Amino acid sequence: MVNLDWNNLGFEYVKTDFRFVAHYKDGTWSSGDLIEDNQIALHEASPALHYGQQCFEGLKAYRWKDGSINLFRPEENAKRLQESCHRLFMPPVPVDLFLHACTQVVKANAKWVGPYGSGATFYLRPLVLGVGKGLGLRPAPEYMFVVFGSPVGSYFQGGMRPANFIVSEFDRAAPKGTGAVKVGGNYAASLLPGKLAKEQGFSDCVYLDPATHTKIEEVGGANFFAISKKEVFVTPASPSILPSITRRSLVYLAKENLGLEVVEGDVFIDALKDYSEAGVCGTAAVIVPVGGISYQGHLHVFNQEKAGPITQKLYETLVGMQLGDLRAPQGWITRVV
Ligand code: PLP
Ligand code: COI
């Protein structure tokens, strides 16, 4: 293992040894290779650069107590990348190529996957880019699929420390736009609202549904859930939020492991008093309790700004499975080494 301050990593890029690159040309994907160079040279007229014809994924490899390295539900990321490619008129990356690339990158960079118990994980960032000359508005003539990885720690301020959010005046996505796919444009659109939220002391902003601005959608890089006073796990159902794999896992765990009722429906911003706990969830975020949400000048606080008991239990169950300390449902874990 390389020498890093494993217990104190944030979410910053660290250059590792190898990345994987495959090319799409004349109707087929190449089998791809591991390379060492972390710079990508692109034609200046590449549609990825002008028209945002690009999409990406995020998933993690985890070091278990037995020294093995494992991925969490990578097929789900492969399928979601295909959805993103489809929406942006790009050739989908075959699931097998996606899994092969992620596996190769983890194996080749195994010394960058931090020790069990340190809190560090290895974040994989698959990308698909529309490349080649294309000045007019049309799909790229060629594509690149890249997977690189970086050791990471906490995305928000640290582990299960509650974070506060503010409702944004901006929309992140349109009702029938690209909110449900993982495309760079959604994130570019969230930079200014995110910066404004941070300037006011919040971790990020909460977006409301773009059609009516009455319901919570998600935050800039994670889905939202809340626990009602009747102990129902509620998480927004909307065509303009990213279908989070972490949230899908929590829906399952809330039902099957915690025995909770689950509702995928509406969380109205003016009905927060109905909820005793709230949290955000995602690959980078894991689970972060929501301490409070500021809306129209008022901070609504959940559980006295402390991690709630159900949020805590969900976190322990999810992370326990990701780190191999609890048995995960069939098919959730892919062993790499
Ligand atoms: N919502 C957005 C906007 C995201 O960027 C992410 C991160 O991938 C999520 C939700 C969480 O999705 P997942 O749990 O699949 O990482
Ligand atoms: C992830 O959680 O994987 C994401 O892509 C979110 C991003 C803002 C880091």
Side-chain angles (χ1 to χ4, degrees):
M1 226 171 274
V2 295
N3 192 13
L4 283 184
D5 185 6
W6 293 110
N7 297 300
N8 294 300
L9 295 179
F11 199 85
E12 298 296 335
Y13 177 85
V14 175
K15 182 176 185 282
T16 58
D17 299 326
F18 295 97
R19 58 281 299 121
F20 182 95
V21 182
H23 297 269
Y24 181 91
K25 216 173 165 176
D26 302 326
T28 47
W29 282 104
S30 68
S31 52
D33 284 307
L34 285 172
I35 58 163
E36 290 184 43
D37 190 0
N38 70 341
Q39 303 291 318
I40 300 176
L42 296 185
H43 192 288
E44 62 188 357
S46 289
L49 302 177
H50 300 247
Y51 301 127
Q53 200 192 18
Q54 65 81 242
C55 59
F56 67 101
E57 269 304 322
L59 68 161
K60 283 174 173 173
Y62 305 82
R63 173 90 60 184
W64 286 13
K65 208 183 242 171
D66 63 6
S68 68
I69 305 176
N70 299 272
L71 295 169
F72 184 73
R73 310 190 75 177
E75 294 86 359
E76 299 301 317
N77 294 91
K79 287 189 236 159
R80 190 170 64 191
L81 188 68
Q82 291 193 329
E83 294 296 317
S84 300
C85 286
H86 176 70
R87 181 66 181 81
L88 295 197
F89 211 78
M90 306 202 280
V93 174
V95 171
D96 286 349
L97 177 59
F98 181 95
L99 297 175
H100 172 70
C102 292
T103 305
Q104 291 297 305
V105 171
V106 172
K107 275 189 183 157
N109 295 301
K111 64 179 180 205
W112 296 93
V113 185
Y116 168 83
S118 64
T121 54
F122 189 75
Y123 185 76
L124 290 164
R125 177 46 65 81
L127 300 170
V128 184
L129 306 173
V131 300
K133 63 175 177 223
L135 196 56
L137 180 54
R138 57 180 174 267
E142 294 175 15
Y143 296 85
M144 273 178 89
F145 170 52
V146 178
V147 180
F148 70 86
S150 175
V152 296
S154 294
Y155 185 71
F156 285 112
Q157 59 235 38
M160 277 286 278
R161 259 203 296 155
N164 286 350
F165 296 84
I166 182 167
V167 172
S168 178
E169 305 270 304
F170 291 94
D171 292 326
R172 173 184 171 277
K176 291 191 178 176
T178 55
V181 287
K182 203 161 170 67
V183 304
N186 295 342
Y187 296 82
S190 74
L191 291 174
L192 174 63
K195 176 79 166 62
L196 295 173
K198 281 165 201 149
E199 275 171 9
Q200 293 174 267
F202 296 94
S203 291
D204 199 350
C205 46
V206 167
Y207 294 96
L208 299 181
D209 71 289
T212 70
H213 298 117
T214 58
K215 298 177 269 186
I216 291 184
E217 292 248 294
E218 61 177 328
V219 302
N223 272 184
F224 179 85
F225 66 88
I227 311 295
S228 77
K229 292 202 165 142
K230 293 181 179 153
E231 299 206 338
V232 180
F233 178 98
V234 187
T235 188
S238 160
S240 47
I241 65 177
L242 191 74
S244 153
I245 295 156
T246 314
R247 160 220 175 104
R248 222 174 300 157
S249 307
L250 294 182
V251 163
Y252 178 93
L253 297 176
K255 266 190 220 162
E256 303 299 326
N257 292 53
L258 275 63
L260 300 179
E261 188 186 329
V262 170
V263 172
E264 294 188 61
D266 295 331
V267 179
F268 288 97
I269 189 66
D270 63 3
L272 296 182
K273 61 178 181 344
D274 296 345
Y275 300 95
S276 52
E277 302 176 32
V280 299
C281 64
T283 299
V286 193
I287 295 179
V288 174
V290 175
I293 295 178
S294 176
Y295 178 56
Q296 295 182 338
H298 166 73
L299 182 73
H300 177 89
V301 167
F302 297 94
N303 199 46
Q304 299 165 323
E305 292 192 67
K306 297 199 189 79
I310 293 177
T311 306
Q312 182 76 40
K313 185 79 194 145
L314 285 168
Y315 177 88
E316 284 163 13
T317 310
L318 176 74
V319 173
M321 290 177 178
Q322 290 170 332
L323 294 178
D325 297 329
L326 297 176
R327 185 186 289 276
Q330 183 75 22
W332 282 19
I333 301 296
T334 297
R335 175 146 302 189
V336 178
V337 274

